Amino acid sequence: MTAALLLGFGLLLMSIGMPVAFAIGIAGFSYFLLPETFLPTSIAVQRVVSSTQSFPLLAVPLFIFIGHLMNASGITPRLVNLSTLLAGWMSGGLAQASIVLSTLMGGVSGSAVADAAMQSRVLGKSMIKGGYSSGFTGAVLSIGGLITATIPPSIGLILYGYLGEVSIGRLFIAGLVPGFLLMVALMVTTYIMAKRRGYQPVREHLPTGSEVLKALRSSIWAILFPVWLLVGIRYGLFTPSEAGAFAVAYALLVGCVIHRVMGVNEILNAMRASVRDIGMIMLIIMFSGIIGYVVSFERVPQTIAELTLGVFSSHITLLLTVSLLLVFLGMLLEATVVVMLLTPILVPVIKTAGIDPVHFGLLMMTLVTFGGMTPPVGISMYTVCGILRCSFYEYSRELLPFAFAVFVVVLGILFFPDIVLFLPNLLLG
């Protein structure tokens, strides 16, 4: 009961505008000030420090840095050209290209918000000038970023694996099929909407084999990046954390030596942007360590497991209920915060219920990331609407068909776990 009140207190502080990290930290620290707690306040300080003492957690700052380096290395414009070539011949060509680009960038940026912001700047104005409504443009660019929640290296999956003690390698491989299913579902939805509205292709014909090969050669280093990561993890060449260090070296090699577009200034700018992002995320992780200790000390996961196993008669009912909770919280809080707060609580519950934590992890990341694209507090929504200057009402109305497509994929993942699990079971056993 005390833990629930503290979580509620933290949400209240966030609702009045307090930065997320400080709201979590104050709520967690206040537990140690309660007269019935009888715990020294030094434990709270120790938990803040110990939350950063994790080798797997090294992957987070490294993959944030790699996202900024890749954008500075000349890879993004090459991927834009490849995406336009592959999908530009379809109705709604630019919108289709943006979804393909999100799939390709998912293996580079690892962040839905970063992907949405980049695409809004690169493709947004061209789409609006091409006759697309601003609401449709914002919706398709925002929802495309959802693919980055599953395509490795997803930062959300790294955090989930670290907090839930789940294999990050299995999560990475498991995310491939859901990511491609999301791409197909969103492209089909875009095609139907584009046909009805008369949104034209940007190419007159299908790409020829020579055109595809030429574009692939130009983009080959970006395409190979996630392949190297998965192969290296699969064959034990490096851990996910070591993969982050490899990725940084890879980006520097591509940008400085192969493409020759990245110099000292570009590297320093990438480092500055990374420090800002890493500082925000690490502060949340550090203060979440206090909440994690309180949750564990109060035996919250065990209590919830006992209650849920007595109430829900099947795995499906439990997953549906938890999914609704995740969508609701994702609409109110940033995805990273939801993962930090709920993973230590929910993973023991779903393990006790006999649900594979890898299956649940992909379901969780998809749902909480989708919440960031919806009103009232969606960060991706605010980012895209701010760049494109479109109204939230128009954006929300245009988002509905895409939301339906996403939930079709989510239900498929929920009812058929092998969609997620067959690849990691096949490759990792």
Side-chain angles (χ1 to χ4, degrees):
M1 182 63 182
T2 305
L5 290 175
L6 290 177
L7 288 174
F9 180 45
L11 293 175
L12 175 63
L13 293 175
M14 292 179 212
S15 68
I16 62 175
M18 180 174 287
V20 171
F22 295 112
I24 292 172
I26 291 172
F29 193 78
S30 63
Y31 175 83
F32 296 85
L33 302 179
L34 297 175
E36 64 268 23
T37 302
F38 301 111
L39 288 174
T41 55
S42 59
I43 292 180
V45 179
Q46 292 169 7
R47 296 307 303 176
V48 169
V49 176
S50 63
S51 297
T52 64
Q53 309 302 303
S54 169
F55 183 71
L57 202 58
L58 278 174
V60 174
L62 288 172
F63 278 116
I64 290 173
F65 186 34
I66 184 66
H68 291 288
L69 281 177
M70 285 292 189
N71 286 335
S73 66
I75 281 176
T76 299
R78 289 171 170 80
L79 291 180
V80 171
N81 292 335
L82 176 62
S83 303
T84 305
L85 179 70
L86 293 176
W89 57 272
M90 304 171 68
S91 295
L94 279 176
Q96 302 285 12
S98 76
I99 296 170
V100 174
L101 180 60
S102 291
T103 307
L104 296 174
M105 289 297 294
V108 176
S109 71
S111 166
V113 178
D115 177 79
M118 181 275 295
Q119 294 219 37
S120 296
R121 294 188 180 96
V122 173
L123 294 176
K125 291 182 180 179
S126 299
M127 291 177 66
I128 293 174
K129 287 180 180 178
Y132 297 82
S133 71
S134 59
F136 176 86
T137 301
V140 75
L141 295 180
S142 175
I143 201 71
L146 183 62
I147 300 171
T148 65
T150 65
I151 297 286
S154 164
I155 295 172
L157 288 179
I158 295 172
L159 290 175
Y160 172 86
Y162 159 68
L163 293 166
E165 298 182 356
V166 182
S167 168
I168 296 175
R170 288 181 66 85
L171 287 168
F172 276 4
I173 295 174
L176 292 174
V177 173
F180 284 108
L181 287 178
L182 283 169
M183 180 192 75
V184 171
L186 294 176
M187 291 183 74
V188 169
T189 305
T190 299
Y191 178 83
I192 295 171
M193 296 176 70
K195 270 292 187 182
R196 290 178 177 175
R197 301 179 183 192
Y199 295 153
Q200 298 299 312
V202 290
R203 291 177 54 86
E204 295 181 356
H205 53 79
L206 284 166
T208 64
S210 61
E211 287 176 326
V212 173
L213 285 175
K214 182 179 179 181
L216 283 173
R217 280 197 297 268
S218 176
S219 309
I220 190 65
W221 298 106
I223 295 169
L224 286 177
F225 170 62
V227 176
W228 294 136
L229 291 183
L230 294 176
V231 169
I233 292 171
R234 164 64 181 86
Y235 290 102
L237 300 179
F238 39 66
T239 66
S241 300
E242 294 165 345
F246 161 79
V248 170
Y250 183 87
L252 291 172
L253 175 66
V254 171
C256 298
V257 179
I258 297 173
H259 292 165
R260 298 183 181 180
V261 296
M262 191 161 62
V264 175
N265 287 336
E266 287 76 16
I267 295 173
L268 290 176
N269 289 335
M271 291 178 68
R272 291 189 192 99
S274 300
V275 167
R276 286 194 298 268
D277 293 344
I278 293 166
M280 175 186 68
I281 292 175
M282 289 305 298
L283 204 57
I284 294 173
I285 291 173
M286 290 163 64
F287 287 128
S288 293
I290 306 176
I291 293 288
Y293 178 83
V294 172
V295 164
S296 175
F297 185 79
E298 292 281 329
R299 301 188 77 254
V300 173
Q302 294 87 337
T303 304
I304 293 178
E306 292 168 2
L307 290 173
T308 53
L309 294 178
V311 171
F312 298 108
S313 57
S314 69
H315 297 168
I316 298 298
T317 309
L318 173 60
L319 282 177
L320 284 171
T321 304
V322 173
S323 296
L324 290 174
L325 172 66
L326 292 174
V327 171
F328 174 72
L329 290 176
M331 294 169 67
L332 300 175
L333 299 170
E334 203 271 331
T336 303
V337 178
V338 179
V339 172
M340 296 297 300
L341 291 178
L342 292 188
T343 298
I345 298 174
L346 293 179
V347 169
V349 174
I350 61 104
K351 283 182 177 179
T352 304
I355 300 168
D356 192 300
V358 173
H359 173 217
F360 178 73
L362 269 298
L363 192 65
M364 180 178 185
M365 280 312 308
T366 302
L367 291 171
V368 299
T369 306
F370 174 72
M373 299 160 186
T374 61
V377 196
I379 293 179
S380 290
M381 177 188 71
Y382 284 125
T383 301
V384 169
C385 289
I387 294 172
L388 300 178
R389 298 182 179 179
C390 70
S391 71
F392 297 134
Y393 171 76
E394 186 182 0
Y395 167 92
S396 302
R397 185 183 63 193
E398 297 281 11
L399 186 70
L400 291 176
F402 296 106
F404 177 78
V406 169
F407 283 124
V408 169
V409 174
V410 166
L411 288 175
I413 295 172
L414 192 151
F415 283 101
F416 303 102
D418 284 342
I419 291 175
V420 172
L421 298 175
F422 89 90
L423 258 187
N425 289 341
L426 177 67
L427 297 177
L428 299 179

